[in-house]
Amino acid sequence: MDEEKPECGTGRILLVEDDFVNGKIISRLLELENIPTAWVKNGREALDFYRQNKDSVLMVFMDLQMPIVDGYQATQELRKNGFKRPIIAMTANAFSDDQVRSAEAGMNDFLLKPVSKIDLSMMVEKWMNNDRN
Ligand SMILES: [Mg+2]
């Protein structure tokens, strides 16, 4: 895959998570990384957001199980629409084929829920050039 490691600049992270409590916690943890975060609730909203904000989306944290459009479909659509930056899958299922399926759908990496501050920091560090820290 043609990957980029984006600079933080004026961009933001797109968080796609249907669960209110998880979304609250993860968006708060991302704010602590000093990166603006936009939180949407399903894959369709993620696609809409991307179409309206293309270059400002630096990376995506993507829940897999969501209503309307799930994380796999959303990732495939984002890739079809030209999004080449990192997409990180999030799932609570440690012992499933989620990791394989998410890679096949075009996701770059995998984060286990509940998401910890340290794991999230490491993902941002790994996949993004964040000069705001
Ligand atoms: Mg979910």
Side-chain angles (χ1 to χ4, degrees):
M1 193 180 302
D2 180 15
E3 289 166 11
E4 301 170 35
K5 191 174 181 182
E7 302 285 338
C8 191
T10 57
R12 70 196 105 183
I13 286 176
L14 179 59
L15 170 65
V16 191
E17 168 63 80
D18 67 308
D19 182 85
F20 183 77
V21 173
N22 281 332
K24 267 283 190 210
I25 292 169
I26 298 165
S27 59
R28 179 74 187 122
L29 291 174
L30 288 171
E31 280 166 18
L32 293 173
E33 297 291 315
N34 295 314
I35 304 162
T37 300
W39 171 22
V40 298
K41 310 295 193 297
N42 63 62
R44 181 178 294 165
E45 290 183 16
L47 289 163
D48 289 344
F49 186 91
Y50 172 63
R51 289 193 184 107
Q52 286 159 24
N53 298 275
K54 296 230 166 177
D55 287 344
S56 76
V57 180
L58 300 171
M59 68 186 287
V60 178
F61 284 92
M62 180 75 81
D63 184 29
L64 295 178
Q65 270 75 52
M66 292 182 292
I68 306 173
V69 175
D70 69 20
Y72 303 108
Q73 292 174 274
T75 296
Q76 287 169 338
E77 287 299 317
L78 285 170
R79 294 308 188 202
K80 270 188 218 162
N81 282 269
F83 184 73
K84 292 177 178 171
R85 288 168 174 172
I87 302 178
I88 314 302
M90 301 185 297
T91 181
N93 301 322
F95 304 103
S96 71
D97 63 354
D98 284 3
Q99 194 159 359
V100 173
R101 284 187 65 202
S102 61
E104 284 169 358
M107 291 181 238
N108 301 83
D109 216 331
F110 191 83
L111 202 52
L112 208 54
K113 292 204 275 192
V115 173
S116 70
K117 184 177 188 318
I118 184 76
D119 287 349
L120 207 57
S121 295
M122 283 171 59
M123 276 300 166
V124 170
E125 175 76 19
K126 180 176 176 182
W127 289 102
M128 210 173 88
N129 290 317
N130 180 14
D131 53 12
R132 292 189 188 187
N133 284 329

